[in-house]
Amino acid sequence: MLNDLSKIAKQTNSFLKKYLNKQKYSGLIYPMSYGLFPGGKKIRSKILVDIGKIFNVNNEHLIIIGAAVECIHAYSLIHDDLPCMDNDLTRRGKPSMHVKFDEATAVLAGNSLLALAFEILSNKKLKIKEKTKNILIEKLSKCAGHAGIAGGQFLDLDYEKKNIPFKKIIDMQLKKTGKLFEYCSSVPAIIKNSNDKKIKTFEAIGSDLGLLFQISDDLIDYKGDSKKVGKKTKKDNKLGKATLISLLGYKKTVIYSEKLREKIQKKIMKYGQRSKNLSETINYILERSK
Ligand code: GRG
């Protein structure tokens, strides 16, 4: 298990619990909590914190931004499981949101988590410069929308049971999964007011990390240890999903993922000891699929 992943997960959950407790009561608070807790690994927050270490960013800020990202991520999983999307009955080791409640509740709790993410980012608890905050809010909106996660999911569904070429599969995965990783990887550079070149460098590292994570997720689905991931596996093949495995086969996909890992490790090597945690996270992402 990765060094401080569970510590980051605890800090993120603790922030989110306190934040939800302070909300005015509504019938959606319970379903929203169901979608957030105990929650998943918090790998996106971990990447924020790891890269925050390279830039020496205040951890408290990163936990709050990570909490916002985790709300969007939780939302995407709730909608991903809906019958009109991937129709999954289990998530994070328990019944999916629409199974536990109903479809309308899953749609509305998901939407509420998306809104909550932006409420958290714009809240005064996040004590960073207003100008930086605006940049972070604008960037996260773009990552979540049609050019990001929602657009990627649209392609994922559109590509089912079709022969999709390599470039299009990668583009879809970079949107569906890569965009949130890209976001998390660039936040520390943005907070430190780095130049565009540096921000772009870390966005590219994030895209690669997201792609690596998605490929690893696909490999796990292919190998099929459902206990390990808390959701049904061997689903991609049944649904006719366009993945690197469906295009290249299992072995070639493993080779591709190993090369991608090497590429990212090389890129971060120059940060020396400060990138040690990130380097461990990169290895963890791929080791999970073995
Ligand atoms: C606009 C946010 C938004 C969503 C609407 C439904 C949808 C469009 C997008 C779904 C995108 C999706 C499900 C991508 C898959 C990403 C992925 C590999 C998820 C698994 O992430 P983990 O393993 O999950 O980090 P845990 O449970 O650990 O948090």
Side-chain angles (χ1 to χ4, degrees):
M1 186 60 175
L2 208 47
N3 235 344
D4 46 0
L5 186 59
S6 62
K7 184 177 151 206
I8 291 167
K10 266 187 203 146
Q11 289 172 327
T12 310
N13 279 344
S14 152
F15 174 86
L16 283 169
K17 272 186 188 144
K18 277 187 207 144
Y19 201 90
L20 270 192
N21 279 341
K22 288 202 173 126
Q23 294 280 310
K24 204 172 162 202
Y25 175 78
S26 83
L28 284 171
I29 292 282
Y30 176 51
M32 285 161 77
S33 309
Y34 184 83
L36 283 176
F37 311 120
K41 297 175 287 298
K42 307 286 188 287
I43 193 79
R44 293 153 190 81
S45 295
K46 169 83 168 99
I47 283 163
L48 255 169
V49 171
D50 287 347
I51 298 186
K53 199 159 188 199
I54 296 178
F55 284 86
N56 198 20
V57 175
N58 179 327
N59 205 53
E60 214 175 300
H61 298 340
L62 297 175
I63 293 297
I64 297 177
I65 298 166
V69 168
E70 295 294 344
C71 286
I72 294 192
H73 169 57
Y75 156 49
S76 77
L77 300 181
I78 294 164
H79 280 201
D80 188 51
D81 292 337
L82 284 169
C84 63
M85 302 248 181
D86 283 0
N87 196 14
D88 255 312
L89 301 179
T90 45
R91 170 71 65 181
R92 292 171 166 171
K94 57 185 191 178
S96 305
M97 177 78 82
H98 67 277
V99 176
K100 169 83 179 169
F101 302 93
D102 54 41
E103 277 183 52
T105 307
V107 169
L108 295 170
N111 291 346
S112 304
L113 285 171
L114 177 66
L116 194 76
F118 292 101
E119 190 189 312
I120 290 172
L121 264 194
S122 49
N123 192 274
K124 62 178 185 306
K125 277 185 198 298
L126 180 59
K127 294 183 178 64
I128 58 173
K129 284 187 200 136
E130 288 301 310
K131 198 178 156 208
T132 310
K133 229 184 225 197
N134 281 343
I135 297 173
L136 294 187
I137 292 168
E138 184 190 357
K139 201 173 154 64
L140 189 58
S141 327
K142 286 183 176 164
C143 287
H146 70 97
I149 313 174
Q153 178 75 356
F154 180 78
L155 294 174
D156 176 274
L157 296 167
D158 184 46
Y159 290 172
E160 278 180 9
K161 302 187 179 78
K162 290 181 189 159
N163 282 328
I164 305 297
F166 180 82
K167 263 191 163 176
K168 285 193 167 181
I169 295 178
I170 300 286
D171 173 64
M172 175 266 286
Q173 298 195 331
L174 284 174
K175 287 182 176 137
K176 184 180 80 158
T177 311
K179 277 290 166 184
L180 272 192
F181 283 78
E182 178 188 309
Y183 181 77
C184 292
S185 303
S186 65
V187 162
I190 295 171
I191 291 183
K192 285 290 173 172
N193 211 8
S194 306
N195 60 34
D196 278 356
K197 193 174 165 223
K198 184 120 267 161
I199 294 171
K200 285 212 163 67
T201 300
F202 275 86
E203 280 176 354
I205 290 172
S207 299
D208 283 343
L209 274 169
L211 186 59
L212 187 70
F213 189 79
Q214 183 58 58
I215 296 170
S216 170
D217 200 67
D218 294 344
L219 291 168
I220 293 171
D221 177 82
Y222 180 87
K223 283 182 77 177
D225 189 349
S226 60
K227 275 204 188 106
K228 197 170 173 178
V229 282
K231 61 181 177 185
K232 211 166 170 208
T233 49
K234 299 185 192 282
K235 278 209 70 180
D236 288 348
N237 193 28
K238 261 189 212 140
L239 292 170
K241 289 286 182 195
T243 64
L244 283 194
I245 303 173
S246 72
L247 184 75
L248 307 173
Y250 180 77
K251 273 190 185 161
K252 280 190 183 156
T253 303
V254 170
I255 294 169
Y256 181 87
S257 65
E258 289 292 352
K259 281 189 183 150
L260 184 58
R261 170 183 27 197
E262 286 310 307
K263 179 183 155 196
I264 312 171
Q265 292 286 17
K266 261 192 198 146
K267 277 190 189 175
I268 66 161
M269 225 154 65
K270 67 175 177 190
Y271 300 99
Q273 195 56 22
R274 282 183 297 148
S275 63
K276 187 174 160 275
N277 287 5
L278 180 61
S279 171
E280 283 169 8
T281 304
I282 294 163
N283 290 336
Y284 163 82
I285 287 174
L286 209 49
E287 292 311 314
R288 282 185 69 235
S289 63
K290 290 191 174 155

